Amino acid sequence: MADFVLRPCVTSDAAWIAELRAVVMRPDLERLGRFDPVRVRERFLNSFQPEHTYVIHTGGVDAGVIAVRPEPDARWIEHFYVAPAHQGKGLGGAVLRHVMAASVDERPFRLDVLQGSPARRLYERHGFVLESEDPVDVFMMATASP
């Protein structure tokens, strides 16, 4: 299992997270014909809620980010990005397991992932199932871990 800590995000983290988002999402957005280098960053900056966001720190570096936004009927996993140098090593799965195991109630987790993204397999391995989809997004849901 990957060794990491989640540290609370602060407002000053916004710029590097927006850049990380652009790097991580670029291949999928380009494949879908939707990559815009300005918009990909602006969409994050316009919805950034540091109070619900955690930086993934491992090996002495900030390697990613995850947000868990509470809603009355679900907890939305958003802005879950792992830097390319840290992908494929179990870090994303370890973080997702940790977040889901820390569940304090029975609300399900929800998220959306871009069509054709390899991240979908990660979510399916952790119990997420298809709720709905459109030509760009796949919306998924999982129950909280016991």
Side-chain angles (χ1 to χ4, degrees), residues 13-62:
D13 288 317
W16 78 262
I17 295 171
E19 189 59 33
L20 175 65
R21 179 182 196 269
V23 168
V24 170
M25 292 190 70
R26 184 174 188 147
D28 286 330
L29 289 171
E30 284 181 338
R31 180 179 38 75
L32 294 168
R34 300 182 65 89
F35 182 74
D36 177 316
V38 174
R39 187 166 187 245
V40 71
R41 292 165 177 87
E42 283 179 349
R43 284 196 65 184
F44 171 77
L45 294 171
N46 291 336
S47 66
F48 179 51
Q49 296 180 322
E51 67 274 17
H52 301 302
T53 308
Y54 299 89
V55 172
I56 304 163
H57 190 83
T58 186
V61 299
D62 292 339

Side-chain angles (χ1 to χ4, degrees), residues 14 43 61-62 69-70 80 94 99 113 120 122 131 135:
R43 284 196 65 184
V61 299
D62 292 339
R69 181 177 49 87
F80 187 16
V99 166
V113 63
R120 181 174 178 173
L122 168 72
E131 272 196 302

Side-chain angles (χ1 to χ4, degrees), residues 116-143:
S117 173
R120 181 174 178 173
R121 289 189 302 278
L122 168 72
Y123 301 132
E124 289 171 339
R125 284 194 308 270
H126 289 84
F128 282 84
V129 296
L130 176 70
E131 272 196 302
S132 65
E133 60 186 319
D134 61 35
V136 176
D137 293 298
V138 176
F139 295 89
M140 303 181 80
M141 193 248 338
T143 58

